[in-house]
Amino acid sequence: MKHYFIIAAAAVVAMAACTKVENVASPDKKISFQTATYSTPQSRADTVSVKGEFTSFTSKAFLHADGYEDTTQDFFGANGETISADNASNPTAWTPSHDYYWPKSSESYINFIAWYDKNGDAPTTATETALSWSNYVVATDDNLLYAEEAWRFKDNDHDKYDKDGVTEGVPMLFRHALAKLTIKAAANPIADGNTTWTVQLDTVKLSGVYNTGTLSLTNADPGTANTTVAWSNAAGNVWSSPSNATEITMLERLTSTGNETEPGALTSTPTVMLDGQSVLPQTLGNDHVLTVVYSIYTKYNGTLYSKERLATSVKLTDFSGSISEWGMNKKITYTVNINPQTTVVKIDPAMEDWVEVDAGSADLTN
């Protein structure tokens, strides 16, 4: 038996000496992205392509490498990378400015955060667990979005959204961080026998609108691979520390003489006074006041014989069924309807999730 074992061992050694062993490395895999944006926050399935929003965004990537899991490495560098669509009108890929490759170890993973700001303002803080913009001043044409954080990703093998022809990549699901405000005005010309009444707007302005605030978002590792997690905002759906109240003037054409000729009258089709202006998400209070100055022109048999200028100022919080806040990812529309015969002003506020929801109305008398 002893002899047998010596011979067997020798045979194994001989086989090892004659056998060439090769380690074939798997091909490197480039990192790419998928993108989409919520049209409503209630359903993850209710998403649309970001093509109408932007063609590039910024991402930061945090590598936790095998053997160094407790060390966070800035995989895209401290300032992040620009991720761009390969085709603005019909993208087939979203990729960094140069190639980055997935780690080879199955124990390594990368966490991704992303954002887009039309006017180029970088976040004050951008880490794995905190994303913030402090004392951010909202410009009228601003568009600010941030994506759900992508936790513990190891490859591109994901087809979660496929909203614009891109079928694989790290999923980036963006949310709007600002609100949009629209104000319209309408008036039905009234006729009673030979008498007619029409309305002209002279002044439309909204005061008490804060344009500066802070958005502080937090996130937490779910401990599950290939998972996207929405950011949390302690302030709810508005920004904190609103400041710098301003006045939005949409129209101001009062004259001192009062001898201006009759301009084009309002019709039953609402005239847009403010068209989707970006505003800071904020809670509405006593300072948010809409002021409308309008002139009523009265004619008899087509001849103008009377004109009267009236003014109405109302707090936005006074509307029946009023909207209490301008929330993130909300489009808010106020429609002012004026009855020139009774001088009743009716204001219909509505709010939609980038989907129209009727929010009630108010009848105001002078």
Side-chain angles (χ1 to χ4, degrees):
M1 293 294 294
K2 187 176 182 180
H3 225 16
Y4 175 83
F5 278 109
I6 292 173
I7 293 172
V12 171
V13 171
M15 289 174 64
C18 297
T19 302
K20 183 178 181 181
V21 179
E22 294 184 354
N23 292 319
V24 180
S26 61
D28 291 334
K29 297 180 180 180
K30 297 178 183 179
I31 295 176
S32 64
F33 295 83
Q34 289 182 84
T35 63
T37 183
Y38 279 119
S39 55
T40 64
Q42 287 79 14
S43 172
R44 289 180 178 231
D46 194 5
T47 59
V48 295
S49 172
V50 299
K51 288 187 296 185
E53 302 279 355
F54 53 75
T55 56
S56 66
F57 61 91
T58 303
S59 175
K60 290 192 71 175
F62 306 96
L63 170 63
H64 293 261
D66 188 7
Y68 298 90
E69 291 86 355
D70 294 334
T71 302
T72 302
Q73 303 177 54
D74 283 323
F75 193 69
F76 283 167
N79 296 321
E81 259 288 350
T82 298
I83 313 300
S84 302
D86 61 348
N87 184 309
S89 60
N90 188 29
T92 59
W94 293 80
T95 54
S97 60
H98 64 84
D99 293 339
Y100 291 83
Y101 295 89
W102 289 103
K104 293 184 179 297
S105 173
S106 62
E107 301 302 316
S108 300
Y109 62 87
I110 304 176
N111 302 325
F112 297 89
I113 64 173
W115 65 89
Y116 167 79
D117 182 74
K118 179 181 179 181
N119 294 320
D121 290 329
T124 308
T125 304
T127 70
E128 289 177 296
T129 56
L131 183 61
S132 68
W133 286 265
S134 297
N135 296 317
Y136 182 98
V137 179
V138 178
T140 58
D141 65 340
D142 248 327
N143 192 17
L144 176 63
L145 300 95
Y146 59 91
E148 289 191 353
E149 183 160 357
W151 287 96
R152 296 176 173 263
F153 276 76
K154 302 179 180 182
D155 55 47
N156 287 336
D157 189 20
H158 308 281
D159 56 357
K160 191 170 185 178
Y161 304 128
D162 189 20
K163 295 294 180 181
D164 52 11
V166 180
T167 57
E168 69 170 21
V170 179
M172 293 277 102
L173 188 53
F174 286 88
R175 299 170 183 264
H176 290 97
L178 301 178
K180 284 187 176 294
L181 182 63
T182 296
I183 295 178
K184 302 177 181 181
N188 283 315
I190 302 295
D192 184 4
N194 293 323
T195 303
T196 60
W197 293 266
T198 56
V199 175
Q200 168 207 307
L201 286 180
D202 296 314
T203 298
V204 181
K205 61 184 178 181
L206 180 61
S207 57
V209 179
Y210 299 112
N211 70 1
T212 304
T214 294
L215 178 62
S216 300
L217 305 172
T218 58
N219 213 310
D221 187 350
T224 306
N226 302 331
T227 303
T228 60
V229 179
W231 294 85
S232 297
N233 179 16
N237 206 32
V238 297
W239 289 39
S240 62
S241 305
S243 62
N244 194 27
T246 60
E247 184 175 88
I248 300 174
T249 300
M250 290 148 268
L251 179 66
E252 194 163 32
R253 58 183 178 196
L254 294 177
T255 66
S256 58
T257 63
N259 293 322
E260 66 273 22
T261 59
E262 181 185 0
L266 289 176
T267 68
S268 59
T269 301
T271 298
V272 176
M273 311 304 300
L274 188 69
D275 189 11
Q277 178 172 309
S278 296
V279 291
L280 183 83
Q282 56 197 276
T283 301
L284 301 181
N286 292 332
D287 293 334
H288 294 83
V289 176
L290 180 65
T291 298
V292 179
V293 179
Y294 57 99
S295 293
I296 295 178
Y297 292 80
T298 307
K299 292 181 179 180
Y300 185 80
N301 285 335
T303 300
L304 178 67
Y305 73 85
S306 172
K307 56 185 177 183
E308 183 180 11
R309 178 166 289 143
L310 304 171
T312 296
S313 293
V314 59
K315 295 183 290 185
L316 297 186
T317 54
D318 283 346
F319 299 147
S320 173
S322 65
I323 296 168
S324 62
E325 65 180 24
W326 297 340
M328 293 189 292
N329 198 53
K330 302 290 186 182
K331 288 182 176 179
I332 302 96
T333 300
Y334 295 94
T335 302
V336 178
N337 291 287
I338 301 173
N339 185 321
Q341 187 178 24
T342 63
T343 70
V344 171
V345 178
K346 179 181 178 182
I347 302 178
D348 297 309
M351 181 169 56
E352 55 183 326
D353 291 320
W354 247 245
V355 183
E356 183 151 343
V357 179
D358 186 2
S361 64
D363 289 329
L364 308 175
T365 58
N366 293 288

